[in-house]
Amino acid sequence: MNDFTTWDILRNLLLAARWTVLLSLVSFVGGSLAGLALLFARIGKGRLGPAFAKTYIELFQGTPLLMQLFLAFFGLGLFGIDVPAWLAAGLALILWTAAFLAEIWRGCVESVAKGQWEASSSLGMGYLQQMRWVILPQALRVAVPPTVGFSVQVVKGTALTSIIGFVELSKAGTMVTNATFEPFTVYGFVALIYFCLCWPLSKSSQILERKLNVAHRNH
Amino acid sequence: MNYAFDFGWLADYWPVLLKGIGITVELTLVGGVLGVSLGIACAWARALGPAWLKPVVAAYVEMIRNTPFLIQLFFVFFGLPALGLRMGELQAANLAMVINLGAYGCEIIRAGIQATPKGQFEAGASLGMSRIQTFWYVVLIPALQRIWPALSSQIVIVMLGSAAVSQIAAEDLTFAANFIQSRTFRAFETYFAATLIYLALAIVLRQLLRGLGWTIFPKRAAR
């Protein structure tokens, strides 16, 4: 057995944490774009769009992220391609993030008073114009805090990708534990690093909520 | 895509799946009941408890809410034995779920408690209710009623999150799926079936919790 100093443990974990950060960013950005498309489908006028978006959201919110990861990992493999873990992890996390963000944002769009729709349509605005100039700017204000708050769930969600073999912070924790036989220290550090990534996000979400909702504050 | 889907294995392996479902349901039940209880205790401590207890509970809540469930699970199962606290995989899974739900439940229930107008405490006291009676009947029950939908979805989230306990070899539904796919090499079909079962469990659990809400809370007076 190699002798690992505490610094060795921490250094290896920090190196792996870069992948957690990268995967979180990719999932969040990709999930936002897909979520935006899903949002438009969900609140759109047609019949097919809302039905599809509703089913999609229900499926992804009603099943474990771990299962979605497994299905992405083994499902892509059915097409005869050799699926690297990062691809399955990224894909599953993007699809999962999109479902939650679309649902969060739908709530924000619906929180805009109905009169705003009527007023803008009485000004002769089309659907897209209404969205662009009237509804989304107001919805955005409401949407920022919960969106930042959800980014914490994305960071934590990346931990599950260790199970399909993507080497990020959690996987590195398991590997370092196997080399050092010090699970208490190692998982303690892993938890601490996750905390350092997530806590600033949680906190800023709370602060933004207080700042942006001044108008709605009732105490 | 030259792949022939085959769900024929289902006929041979349904007892394995059934056992997995049983464990998942059991974990959810125990985790849900104890987790909500812990959440209530913590919410009381944070909103109305003694001053020295508040920062302790706040630290616990922040620590749990900002770390992944998987790591909490590993810490309980692999880390705690270093302190001499050794337990089986099911106990570890249960403990991790209770700790996890306790923290989220605390924040949700606290929001409900803090929405109680201060006059209600005074009204309770003026009716000659003890502090415990006031907390139970005047504060807690209406608070729970207010936040029941949020608490219900959190319980469903914990149930879905319990898929991770297969990683410490607790024999839940995901563990069963892993076992079956290692026997049949039908990975996609196995996980597809398991996913559908989770979906069904989530839908049933949501309905059950809604029904439970209707039965345990008094009908809300029209305002």
Side-chain angles (χ1 to χ4, degrees):
Chain A
M1 184 181 121
N2 279 345
D3 274 334
F4 274 72
T5 62
T6 307
W7 167 239
D8 283 329
I9 294 176
L10 189 59
R11 193 176 47 120
N12 280 303
L13 293 178
L14 284 173
L15 287 174
R18 293 177 307 172
W19 292 102
T20 292
V21 173
L22 184 69
L23 184 61
S24 306
L25 285 175
V26 169
S27 314
F28 191 72
V29 173
S32 301
L33 295 176
L36 201 62
L38 206 57
L39 169 71
F40 273 97
R42 180 71 180 77
I43 59 176
K45 293 239 168 62
R47 250 200 178 158
L48 222 56
F52 167 78
K54 229 170 148 175
T55 316
Y56 178 97
I57 292 169
E58 173 70 25
L59 280 180
F60 278 83
Q61 291 195 340
T63 58
L65 176 58
L66 182 58
M67 284 295 141
Q68 294 162 25
L69 284 163
F70 279 142
L71 284 178
F73 191 57
F74 293 107
L76 284 176
L78 294 185
F79 292 96
I81 39 173
D82 192 20
V83 192
W86 60 264
L87 183 64
L91 183 71
L93 275 167
I94 286 174
L95 295 178
W96 176 78
T97 307
F100 279 84
L101 285 180
E103 190 66 3
I104 293 173
W105 291 341
R106 182 179 70 96
C108 300
V109 168
E110 285 181 354
S111 77
V112 177
K114 214 175 161 217
Q116 299 279 332
W117 285 98
E118 293 164 355
S120 52
S121 107
S122 76
L123 288 174
M125 285 180 156
Y127 179 71
L128 285 179
Q129 280 177 315
Q130 285 178 301
M131 274 301 209
R132 166 68 186 84
W133 299 107
V134 180
I135 306 300
L136 287 184
Q138 298 183 66
L140 194 66
R141 212 177 153 77
V142 191
V144 171
T147 306
V148 175
F150 183 72
S151 67
V152 177
Q153 307 296 329
V154 177
V155 177
K156 291 192 293 178
T158 62
L160 289 176
T161 62
S162 64
I163 298 172
I164 58 167
F166 182 67
V167 183
E168 37 64 81
L169 184 49
S170 300
K171 184 77 181 173
T174 308
M175 289 155 84
V176 174
T177 303
N178 291 341
T180 60
F181 305 113
E182 288 182 57
F184 190 80
T185 319
V186 176
Y187 288 122
F189 273 135
V190 171
L192 196 66
I193 297 173
Y194 273 113
F195 185 81
C196 292
L197 289 174
C198 294
W199 193 71
L201 291 170
S202 306
K203 213 66 203 162
S204 43
S205 165
Q206 284 170 13
I207 294 170
L208 283 167
E209 194 170 323
R210 238 172 289 149
K211 273 201 166 154
L212 293 178
N213 273 356
V214 178
H216 299 288
R217 202 162 48 184
N218 46 12
H219 52 88
Chain B
M1 196 163 114
N2 301 314
Y3 186 85
F5 287 96
D6 178 11
F7 285 92
W9 54 270
L10 263 174
D12 299 329
Y13 285 101
W14 67 265
V16 182
L17 279 180
L18 218 56
K19 188 173 167 243
I21 295 172
I23 301 275
T24 293
V25 169
E26 191 184 315
L27 284 173
T28 309
L29 201 68
V30 176
V33 171
L34 295 181
V36 170
S37 312
L38 180 63
I40 291 173
C42 289
W44 169 81
R46 265 197 101 169
L48 308 162
W52 60 270
L53 199 58
K54 283 182 185 175
V56 178
V57 177
Y60 152 70
V61 169
E62 291 295 309
M63 199 66 221
I64 296 301
R65 281 169 31 110
N66 288 298
T67 52
F69 176 64
L70 186 66
I71 298 302
Q72 293 159 16
L73 196 64
F74 283 172
F75 192 81
V76 167
F77 189 65
F78 298 117
L80 288 187
L83 300 181
L85 209 64
R86 200 169 290 278
M87 58 192 112
E89 62 277 355
L90 275 180
Q91 288 156 303
N94 259 326
L95 182 62
M97 285 171 74
V98 169
I99 291 175
N100 189 277
L101 182 58
Y104 282 93
C106 169
E107 282 304 276
I108 295 171
I109 297 165
R110 185 174 69 116
I113 289 180
Q114 285 178 339
T116 312
K118 209 170 165 236
Q120 303 240 331
F121 288 85
E122 291 155 5
S126 75
L127 286 175
M129 292 170 117
S130 72
R131 283 191 55 178
I132 296 171
Q133 280 176 322
T134 311
F135 178 71
W136 187 263
Y137 293 106
V138 180
V139 181
L140 185 62
I141 302 283
L144 282 179
Q145 188 171 11
R146 226 170 276 143
I147 50 81
W148 190 248
L151 195 61
S152 303
S153 12
Q154 191 60 43
I155 295 172
V156 173
I157 288 174
V158 166
M159 190 275 282
L160 296 176
S162 78
V165 304
S166 58
Q167 294 307 303
I168 58 168
E171 300 181 2
D172 74 328
L173 178 53
T174 309
F175 187 91
N178 286 337
F179 172 80
I180 293 169
Q181 81 94 10
S182 69
R183 284 289 190 84
T184 60
F185 297 109
R186 293 271 168 200
F188 187 78
E189 290 94 322
T190 311
Y191 290 122
F192 188 73
T195 307
L196 287 184
I197 296 174
Y198 271 113
L199 184 64
L201 284 177
I203 292 171
V204 170
L205 181 59
R206 215 174 287 155
Q207 294 307 322
L208 280 178
L209 286 169
R210 184 181 291 175
L212 188 65
W214 279 335
T215 41
I216 56 177
F217 298 119
K219 288 259 174 353
R220 195 175 266 189
R223 290 187 244 194

